[in-house]
């Protein structure tokens, strides 16, 4: 691969404007692409064919409708030389993995003008492992201006044809997330890639809790193709709630009671991001009022732990989390409540019941009820992976399988409950306890049967007095205090998500604060 001479530099250019390749981009051995692709990807009508130098070898390069493939040009060789056949194996990349293309030129200190053309640089995003992408570059070296111009224009035409790719994004950045490194991460690693891809961005750095919600209520979103969150799961939940609330208002729906919400108009991107996929979302309501959209919730121990942590925000996040956990465990008390739920029935199960011919068995509107002393209730529409629960708070849940995990911890001794909590951090099954019950559900109603929640902090003053008739809920890390029954309903595929990173929610203050 040609390199810049001493005293000179090599850069990728487009339209004569100098632009350095992103610092994160690094050349990856071409064998990696071949190992990740299937032969059928190279099919399609041939658009161009020519000779380029790739990885110090002259190659026969073919550009088709869906892939770019190349093979080293074979010189005369002895018959039956199988070793050389392996070296000349065809390799290819899929065009959907290319996010930008630029002309590659060399500049020297004494040189003036547009520099010496070296060829074409392709900027590529490859799936390295589950939920992780690797940006890379592939250089097609050819010194002919005319030859490269034809190929460059064809690549640009192909990339412009990907209609689902964003051209303008609203970026909402929480500077307090990722150990206060979110701003640095965005401007050093993310923004250069967006700029290379030619995506316009409008960045807002949040200044207070609820800033994103108030911003998205009034912001003109017509000019954007999506909203990107650079922050933890608390920020992601707030932005998702704002986008869905905005969609209900735009559709003319009453937001005090939302029974059948419409889908969000714009997709939500999370950093790091990847492919687009739909995500299930929950609505949280009382008997007469809509509360919010969200993805997960805790009632009982999880809610009280967050309520305690919120009263000590002068502490660092880790300190107030640990303090709240110890305090809540020291005064561990169950809630006397009634839990009603609608079990999830898959389409396959419904079909099997129809075959059995029983009309009664086909109905999925068969609520079940549990009553008694409950230490904690978890309702999860996503797995909620985090540092203290590497398998997730609900490891069997997926982003868009149309169901929620209902996890109920009945009353037990403090040592046994602590064992249950510690299991989340290990590879052992955290649900393998006689007092823990798990269900796969579509809807849940939680109704406390006592008049008020226990006050774990006698010196809480006016705050305790104002909240004495309310029960604390932890909804995506936000404290929601409710005096009556809460109805949680799942709505399948309600918002689109760039990437699957919500499975890896890892803000230590959110749902993992009860661990």
């Amino acid at each position: 691969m040609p390199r810049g001479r001493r005293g000179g530099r090599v850069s990728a250019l487009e339209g004569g404007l100098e632009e350095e390749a992103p610092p994160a981009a690094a050349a990856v051995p071409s064998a990696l692409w071949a190992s990740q692709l299937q032969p059928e990807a190279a099919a399609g009508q041939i658009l161009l064919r020519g000779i380029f130098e790739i990885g110090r070898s002259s190659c026969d390069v073919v550009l088709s409708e869906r892939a770019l493939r190349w093979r080293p040009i074979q010189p005369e060789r002895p018959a039956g030389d199988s070793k050389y056949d392996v070296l000349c194996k065809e390799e290819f990349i899929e065009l959907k993995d290319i996010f930008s293309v630029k002309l590659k030129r060399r500049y020297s200190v004494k040189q003036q003008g547009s520099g010496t053309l070296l060829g074409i640089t392709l900027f590529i995003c490859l799936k390295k492992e589950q939920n992780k992408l690797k940006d890379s570059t592939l250089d097609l070296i050819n010194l002919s201006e005319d030859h490269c111009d034809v190929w460059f224009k064809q690549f640009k035409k192909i990339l412009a044809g990907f209609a689902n790719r964003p051209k303008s994004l609203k970026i909402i950045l929480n500077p307090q997330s990722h150990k206060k490194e979110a701003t640095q991460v965005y401007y050093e690693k993310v923004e250069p890639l967006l700029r290379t891809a030619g995506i316009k961005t409008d960045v807002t750095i949040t200044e207070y809790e609820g800033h994103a919600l108030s911003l998205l209520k009034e912001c003109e979103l017509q000019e954007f193709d999506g909203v990107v969150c650079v922050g933890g799961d608390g920020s992601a939940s707030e932005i998702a709630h704002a986008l869905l609330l905005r969609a209900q208002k735009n559709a003319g729906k009453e937001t005090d009671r939302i029974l059948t919400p419409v889908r969000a108009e714009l997709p939500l991107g999370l950093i790091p991001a990847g492919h687009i996929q739909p995500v299930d979302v929950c609505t949280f309501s009382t008997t007469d009022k809509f509360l919010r959209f969200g993805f997960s919730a805790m009632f009982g121990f999880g809610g009280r732990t967050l309520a305690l942590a919120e009263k000590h925000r002068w502490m660092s996040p880790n300190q107030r989390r640990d303090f709240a956990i110890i305090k809540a465990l020291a005064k561990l008390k169950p809630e006397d409540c009634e839990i009603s739920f609608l079990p999830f029935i898959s389409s396959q199960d419904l079909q099997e019941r129809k075959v059995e011919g029983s009309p009664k068995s086909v109905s999925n509107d068969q609520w079940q009820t549990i009553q008694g002393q409950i230490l904690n209730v978890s309702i999860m529409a996503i797995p909620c992976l985090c540092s203290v629960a590497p398998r997730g708070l609900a490891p069997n849940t997926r982003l868009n399988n149309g169901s929620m995990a209902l996890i109920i911890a009945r009353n037990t001794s403090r040592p046994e409950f602590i064992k249950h909590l510690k299991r989340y951090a290990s590879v052992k099954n955290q649900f393998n306890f006689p007092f823990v019950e798990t269900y796969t559900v579509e809807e849940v109603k939680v109704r406390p049967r006592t008049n008020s929640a226990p006050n774990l902090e006698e010196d809480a003053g006016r705050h305790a007095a104002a909240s004495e008739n309310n029960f604390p809920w932890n909804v995506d890390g936000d404290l929601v205090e409710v005096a009556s029954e809460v109805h949680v309903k799942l709505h399948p595929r309600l918002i689109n998500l760039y990437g699957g990173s919500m499975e890896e929610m890892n803000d230590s203050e959110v749902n993992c604060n009860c661990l």
Side-chain angles (χ1 to χ4, degrees):
M1 191 77 66
R3 298 179 181 272
R5 296 174 182 171
R6 185 171 298 179
R9 55 191 173 89
V10 177
S11 63
L13 294 181
E14 177 183 347
L17 297 176
E18 179 180 333
E19 183 172 351
E20 297 290 344
V28 173
S30 56
L32 174 62
W33 295 311
S35 65
Q36 293 182 340
L37 297 169
Q38 301 299 323
E40 57 267 21
Q45 179 183 355
I46 294 178
L47 303 176
L48 291 173
R49 186 168 189 168
I51 296 176
F52 289 92
E53 182 180 329
I54 301 177
R56 299 184 182 274
S57 298
S58 293
C59 297
D60 177 18
V61 183
V62 177
L63 176 63
S64 63
E65 292 177 320
R66 296 195 299 273
L68 177 76
R69 64 183 192 271
W70 65 93
R71 179 191 296 271
I73 298 174
Q74 301 183 26
E76 292 291 332
R77 60 185 177 84
D81 190 348
S82 58
K83 181 179 179 181
Y84 196 84
D85 288 338
V86 173
L87 295 176
C88 294
K89 182 180 179 181
E90 182 179 88
E91 301 176 61
F92 50 86
I93 57 173
E94 293 182 88
L95 298 185
K96 66 180 180 63
D97 293 328
I98 302 173
F99 65 88
S100 186
V101 57
K102 298 184 184 297
L103 293 176
K104 185 180 183 69
R105 296 184 183 274
R106 175 187 289 131
Y107 291 86
S108 63
V109 175
K110 298 179 180 180
Q111 190 174 12
Q112 296 181 354
S114 59
T116 302
L117 177 70
L118 297 178
I120 298 172
T121 297
L122 302 179
F123 295 84
I124 306 162
C125 198
L126 298 172
K127 191 171 183 179
K128 187 178 179 182
E129 53 187 274
Q130 186 176 10
N131 292 332
K132 291 186 178 181
L133 300 174
K134 172 69 177 178
D135 61 293
S136 179
T137 59
L138 176 67
D139 290 330
L140 308 178
I141 304 302
N142 190 303
L143 304 183
S144 169
E145 291 271 2
D146 293 338
H147 185 69
C148 288
D149 183 64
V150 172
W151 281 72
F152 176 75
K153 289 180 178 178
Q154 187 63 57
F155 277 120
K156 294 290 288 184
K157 181 180 178 181
I158 291 171
L159 295 185
F162 290 116
N164 63 336
R165 292 192 175 183
K167 296 178 176 60
S168 179
L169 294 173
K170 177 64 183 178
I171 311 293
I172 299 180
L173 193 157
N174 179 1
Q176 301 300 316
S177 66
H178 300 297
K179 300 179 181 179
K180 299 187 178 181
E181 296 178 352
T183 303
Q184 180 182 356
V185 168
Y186 174 74
Y187 283 107
E188 290 186 3
K189 296 186 177 182
V190 180
E191 194 272 341
L193 292 176
L194 297 178
R195 186 174 67 248
T196 300
I199 299 175
K200 297 178 181 179
T201 59
D202 182 78
V203 181
T204 295
I205 299 178
T206 58
E207 300 175 356
Y208 52 88
E209 184 178 352
H211 188 179
L213 178 60
S214 60
L215 172 72
L216 292 175
K217 282 183 178 179
E218 307 298 335
C219 180
E220 292 293 334
L221 298 177
Q222 294 88 341
E223 60 184 288
F224 300 112
D225 299 313
V227 178
V228 175
C229 169
V230 186
D233 52 334
S235 300
S237 174
E238 180 181 338
I239 295 173
H241 171 64
L243 288 174
L244 287 165
L245 204 59
R246 175 78 172 260
Q248 311 316 306
K249 292 182 178 179
N250 290 347
K253 286 184 171 287
E254 176 60 49
T255 55
D256 285 341
R257 286 185 61 82
I258 299 178
L259 301 178
T260 55
V262 299
R263 293 186 64 182
E265 298 165 345
L266 291 179
L268 169 63
L270 303 179
I271 299 298
H275 58 283
I276 298 178
Q277 61 177 319
V279 178
D280 299 339
V281 182
C282 304
T283 51
F284 296 84
S285 310
T286 62
T287 53
D288 57 357
K289 184 180 180 181
F290 168 76
L291 296 175
R292 60 169 292 165
F293 292 99
F295 300 94
S296 59
M298 289 184 180
F299 173 79
F301 177 78
R304 290 197 300 272
T305 303
L306 180 60
L308 283 170
E310 286 296 304
K311 296 173 186 177
H312 296 81
R313 294 196 68 85
W314 51 271
M315 296 182 178
S316 69
N318 288 339
Q319 285 179 329
R320 65 174 175 263
R321 180 195 64 188
D322 295 342
F323 169 81
I325 291 174
I326 294 172
K327 187 92 173 183
L329 285 173
K331 298 189 175 183
L332 185 66
K333 293 181 180 179
E335 301 282 6
D336 184 16
C337 57
E338 177 181 285
I339 303 172
S340 303
F341 60 90
L342 185 62
F344 171 71
I345 301 177
S346 66
S347 56
Q348 181 179 354
D349 291 338
L350 282 174
Q351 186 62 32
E352 291 177 355
R353 296 187 182 191
K354 288 180 181 179
V355 173
E356 293 175 359
S358 173
K360 186 176 180 179
S361 65
V362 173
S363 172
N364 64 340
D365 190 17
Q366 299 177 2
W367 287 79
Q368 299 182 20
T369 301
I370 294 174
Q371 296 179 348
Q373 301 291 314
I374 308 295
L375 286 176
N376 189 71
V377 179
S378 298
I379 305 168
M380 305 286 174
I382 56 177
C384 290
L385 280 69
C386 56
S387 58
V388 294
R391 295 178 59 246
L393 300 181
N396 296 324
T397 307
R398 296 297 177 264
L399 293 179
N400 51 21
N401 62 352
S403 66
M404 303 180 290
L406 171 61
I407 305 163
I408 300 172
R410 290 183 179 270
N411 192 23
T412 187
S413 66
R414 184 181 294 107
E416 285 298 301
F417 186 68
I418 293 175
K419 286 181 183 179
H420 163 61
L421 297 182
K422 287 184 175 181
R423 283 277 184 93
Y424 281 93
S426 70
V427 295
K428 296 181 180 179
N429 185 355
Q430 62 261 42
F431 309 129
N432 190 23
F433 290 90
F435 58 88
V436 177
E437 303 173 14
T438 61
Y439 304 90
T440 304
V441 301
E442 296 179 11
E443 296 184 53
V444 181
K445 295 178 181 179
V446 179
R447 183 176 66 86
R449 298 198 295 180
T450 54
N451 293 327
S452 62
N455 181 18
L456 300 186
E457 213 168 36
E458 292 79 0
D459 58 348
R462 287 180 299 174
H463 182 87
S467 303
E468 63 181 359
N469 293 324
N470 291 332
F471 292 85
W473 280 76
N474 179 341
V475 181
D476 291 341
D478 291 333
L479 179 62
V480 178
E481 294 182 313
V482 184
S484 58
E485 174 184 283
V486 172
H487 180 193
V488 185
K489 183 177 180 180
L490 187 86
H491 302 275
R493 300 169 176 258
L494 199 57
I495 190 171
N496 282 333
L497 176 72
Y498 282 111
S501 54
M502 288 195 74
E503 290 187 352
E504 300 179 349
M505 289 186 165
N506 57 7
D507 188 342
S508 62
E509 271 198 80
V510 190
N511 287 320
C512 292
N513 65 6
C514 69
L515 303 180

